[in-house]
Amino acid sequence: RTGDVEGAREMLRRATTAHPHRTSSWVAAAQLEAKLGNIEASRRLFTRALQSTTLVAPQYLRLAQKELARGNRKLAKNLLQEGVTVHPRTAEVWESWGTVEAKRGNAQQARQLFSRSIEADSKRPSPWLVSVGLEESCGDLHEAAKVAERGITATGGDPNLSAHLGR
């Protein structure tokens, strides 16, 4: 039945009880609570999802992005730290953590994390672009140009990086 919240909760409770290591059931329950505005219940269920199995990198990113949207940078940072521990070769997690640090005004930490993202996958333009943007926002246009040059070479001539150099 449409709108049967208690029925949905019961179905998800049975699913998580029968299969406690199935992350998708915990995430579905957390998403239901989030849609209903029960943020604390949603967080508890997402935490249980994290404990149910090893998450893949995109799940860490989604969970961290939800926390960022709620203004909870500390929890987002913790999720991303865990994500890079579990998935150290996933560039997107390093980049996202760097973005959190940049927003917190921690440029040095952001640089280090963007560098880790580039090390993980130097052909992706995105970490190069955020690195250029960070240097520009810090007022170091010379360093921004150097990063853009290295990024153009590494990515095979990404047009967005080229645009930073006026090409």
Side-chain angles (χ1 to χ4, degrees), residues 92-124:
E92 293 91 340
V93 180
W94 289 107
E95 182 183 332
S96 292
W97 184 6
T99 300
V100 169
E101 292 301 330
K103 286 180 181 176
R104 294 177 70 206
N106 191 349
Q108 187 57 36
Q109 180 73 22
R111 277 185 196 95
Q112 292 170 354
L113 294 164
F114 292 152
S115 290
R116 294 293 301 265
S117 178
I118 289 167
E119 287 172 26
D121 187 357
S122 64
K123 295 194 181 313
R124 283 184 68 243

Side-chain angles (χ1 to χ4, degrees), residues 74-87:
K74 184 176 181 180
L75 183 54
K77 177 183 172 180
N78 291 344
L79 287 164
L80 293 166
Q81 283 175 316
E82 186 175 334
V84 297
T85 300
V86 176
H87 303 285

Side-chain angles (χ1 to χ4, degrees), residues 17-153:
T17 300
H19 304 284
H21 297 293
R22 187 174 289 161
T23 305
S24 60
S25 297
W26 292 104
V27 170
Q31 289 173 330
L32 172 65
E33 294 303 328
K35 284 181 184 175
L36 295 172
N38 302 325
I39 301 307
E40 288 308 312
S42 177
R43 282 189 179 136
R44 281 193 307 275
L45 291 163
F46 272 125
T47 299
R48 185 60 181 91
L50 289 169
Q51 297 165 347
S52 69
T53 188
T54 301
L55 293 177
V56 294
Q59 288 172 310
Y60 281 103
L61 291 173
R62 277 195 302 276
L63 292 172
Q65 288 166 349
K66 285 181 186 224
E67 291 305 326
L68 280 174
R70 292 183 183 115
N72 192 345
R73 289 183 182 165
K74 184 176 181 180
L75 183 54
K77 177 183 172 180
N78 291 344
L79 287 164
L80 293 166
Q81 283 175 316
E82 186 175 334
V84 297
T85 300
V86 176
H87 303 285
R89 298 295 306 156
T90 303
E92 293 91 340
V93 180
W94 289 107
E95 182 183 332
S96 292
W97 184 6
T99 300
V100 169
E101 292 301 330
K103 286 180 181 176
R104 294 177 70 206
N106 191 349
Q108 187 57 36
Q109 180 73 22
R111 277 185 196 95
Q112 292 170 354
L113 294 164
F114 292 152
S115 290
R116 294 293 301 265
S117 178
I118 289 167
E119 287 172 26
D121 187 357
S122 64
K123 295 194 181 313
R124 283 184 68 243
S126 183
W128 292 103
L129 287 164
V130 292
S131 293
V132 169
L134 176 66
E135 297 306 335
E136 289 175 343
S137 71
C138 290
D140 193 343
L141 300 181
H142 178 70
E143 183 61 24
K146 285 175 30 182
V147 171
E149 284 285 355
R150 290 193 313 269
I152 290 166
T153 301

